[in-house]
């Protein structure tokens, strides 16, 4: 898998996202991508 760079300029939004995640950040981002693409997300 290729690496990626995530740039979030809104610190408050980023903190809210980080506090809401239940898994590691990579898994959460991949789940968001899959959800956007309509691919089944494992829970």
């Amino acid at each position: 898998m290729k690496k990626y760079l995530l740039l979030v300029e809104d610190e408050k939004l980023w903190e809210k996202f980080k506090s809401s995640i239940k898994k590691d950040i990579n898994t959460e981002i991949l789940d968001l991508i899959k959800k956007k693409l309509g691919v089944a997300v494992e829970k």
Side-chain angles (χ1 to χ4, degrees), residues 22-23 27-28 31 34-35 39-43:
K22 295 174 179 62
K23 305 173 202 168
T27 304
E28 290 287 344
D31 286 351
K34 289 175 183 178
K35 183 178 177 183
V39 178
V41 177
E42 299 171 6
K43 298 234 174 177

Side-chain angles (χ1 to χ4, degrees), residues 12-24:
K12 291 179 185 176
L13 182 64
W14 178 245
E15 288 301 322
K16 190 174 180 180
F17 175 73
K18 284 195 327 184
S19 68
S20 72
I21 62 175
K22 295 174 179 62
K23 305 173 202 168
D24 66 281

